[in-house]
Amino acid sequence: MTSAPEIPLHAQRNRFDPPDDLLQLREQPLTKIDLPWGGSAWLATRYADIRVVFSDATKFSNSPEGRPFGDLNGSRSGFLLGYDPPDHTRLRRMLTPEFTVRRIRRLQPRIETIVNDHLDALEQAGPPADLVSGFALPVPSLVICELLGVPYEDRAEFQQYASIRLDMTLEMAQRTAAIEASRRYMAKLVAKHRADPGDDMIGMLIRDHGDELDDTELTGVADLLLLAGHETTSNMLALGTLLLLRNPDQLAEVRAGRLVDEAIEEMLRYLSIVHSGIPRTAVADVELSGVKIAAGEAVICSLPAANRDPVLGEDLERFDITRKISAHMAFGHGLHHCLGAPLARMELKIAFPALLQRFPSLALAVPFEEVPFRPYSPVHGLQALPITW
């Protein structure tokens, strides 16, 4: 029997919160840490330092080439997060038009229908229920499937792949096999779209950019969008609901349709479900806040620490939807700022009030201490959320 893997400090959580040891590291600019998979990295915890790392691709590269601990995301081809300019610029330019706020607004009626359909199903089945499997996971999964052109009836297959590849408690070989299986699934789908492009995003990319994108790169882009498009939003929906249930006065505001946008931004900041994103590698010797980083050394950026940095405001350890902070880093920063941020915000803005209004007596079906959080994953979240009403 294999022992449980050591969880690096930047990926540790105490339910909603990063550990105090991590937050205390902000007292010094950067800290050298050993990584469970071998090698070491500089850990950045200050908001200002992380903005610099995320902003300057000439000094800090996203490419896995030369990274001391290799490429942890399977094949690099099409994996947008592992690209630097000019390749990143080329791919991002193709995708950006599909994720503008204006384009996403067109999806609002369909998202509202998807949300209400799943609430109907929950209500008809009756309590108790698991909000993760009954609502938080299927809603964003169906949205991203329709947007991309992925058959929703295949969800059991691709969600299983996602579950394995993001479970850091598993052996790397098992996770790599899931990455490869997921890409094989998407490659078959891309081949079908290449033969008959539809009105969805994969079809659009083939029609408008088919000569610029080969099938391998298109497969990687679509695979990443499918994974990120349902995993991040689903975990925000589940964790955000639990957070509101723990803060009933703020829940009441969202249920009444007040401060919804503010609540979502505060949830994004407070929960910071992506621990760090892709490690950066110093392109050349560089100095950051007086610390010398050698060429080839890795830098891991702690988003939860940055989002609770006192430079952003006061009392940031407290969840407060009346807070005014627009510059959080839940979606990253700079040229790799999350492409799907407008879509995620739209889904959350629709889903939270609808859920809370449908079930006025929504409550946990188990004690808070028994809610199962994910043990170790690049995306923080819940394994299940037992609810009643």
Side-chain angles (χ1 to χ4, degrees), residues 9-294:
L9 184 59
H10 71 274
Q12 292 177 21
R13 297 291 177 109
N14 179 14
R15 297 192 173 94
F16 299 127
D17 301 317
D20 290 341
D21 289 351
L22 175 63
L23 300 180
Q24 288 168 4
L25 291 180
R26 288 193 305 249
E27 295 174 8
Q28 54 199 52
L30 290 98
T31 306
K32 202 68 169 289
I33 60 170
D34 293 325
L35 300 170
W37 48 83
S40 62
W42 290 100
L43 178 60
T45 52
R46 291 179 178 177
Y47 181 86
D49 290 337
I50 292 173
R51 277 181 66 99
V52 172
V53 174
F54 282 177
S55 298
D56 195 342
T58 65
K59 293 180 180 177
F60 298 98
S61 169
N62 270 48
S63 171
E65 295 170 8
R67 192 180 290 161
F69 42 87
D71 181 4
L72 301 179
N73 298 288
S75 173
R76 175 182 181 273
S77 184
F79 188 79
L80 191 63
L81 298 179
Y83 276 56
D84 292 323
D87 285 333
H88 175 270
T89 310
R90 173 179 61 87
L91 279 179
R92 182 101 178 190
R93 174 180 53 81
M94 299 177 198
L95 294 166
T96 297
E98 293 300 306
F99 287 99
T100 61
V101 173
R102 183 178 174 186
R103 187 71 62 91
I104 294 303
R105 276 206 196 102
R106 296 181 191 173
L107 297 175
Q108 182 170 343
R110 180 59 186 146
I111 296 173
E112 289 172 348
T113 298
I114 290 171
V115 165
N116 287 322
D117 286 349
H118 284 81
L119 291 175
D120 289 344
L122 270 180
E123 190 171 22
Q124 288 163 14
D130 172 22
L131 193 75
V132 171
S133 61
F135 185 72
L137 182 57
V139 167
S141 295
L142 183 50
V143 171
I144 196 64
C145 280
E146 292 190 0
L147 187 64
L148 280 176
V150 174
Y152 185 59
E153 55 267 26
D154 293 348
R155 64 191 179 279
E157 182 177 359
F158 68 71
Q159 286 172 357
Q160 176 70 2
Y161 297 146
S163 175
I164 294 171
R165 64 198 287 188
L166 292 179
D167 186 349
M168 301 287 283
T169 67
L170 300 176
E171 296 290 337
M172 193 65 212
Q174 190 175 353
R175 295 176 56 225
T176 300
I179 292 169
E180 292 170 350
S182 182
R183 290 179 68 92
R184 284 195 300 271
Y185 165 80
M186 190 58 72
K188 290 179 184 177
L189 198 59
V190 164
K192 289 181 182 177
H193 280 270
R194 185 74 78 171
D196 183 20
D199 295 330
D200 44 65
M201 191 180 299
I202 297 177
M204 176 278 295
L205 288 169
I206 289 169
R207 285 194 309 275
D208 297 350
H209 306 286
D211 295 337
E212 303 170 72
L213 280 169
D214 63 22
D215 284 356
T216 302
E217 199 163 44
L218 181 55
T219 293
V221 168
D223 179 62
L224 173 62
L225 291 175
L226 179 62
L227 176 69
H230 76 271
E231 273 291 333
T232 50
T233 307
S234 70
N235 283 290
M236 273 301 304
L237 281 171
L239 272 176
T241 300
L242 181 59
L243 182 59
L244 288 173
L245 288 170
R246 300 290 290 171
N247 293 272
D249 291 347
Q250 301 187 66
L251 180 150
E253 292 294 305
V254 177
R255 176 176 280 137
R258 296 187 295 265
L259 298 176
V260 175
D261 290 343
E262 293 85 350
I264 288 166
E265 295 309 311
E266 175 67 350
M267 279 183 206
L268 289 164
R269 178 201 72 81
Y270 186 81
L271 294 171
S272 298
I273 62 168
V274 176
H275 304 299
S276 61
I278 300 298
R280 270 53 171 183
T281 306
V283 175
D285 292 352
V286 64
E287 190 170 296
L288 184 63
S289 286
V291 176
K292 294 180 179 179
I293 302 171

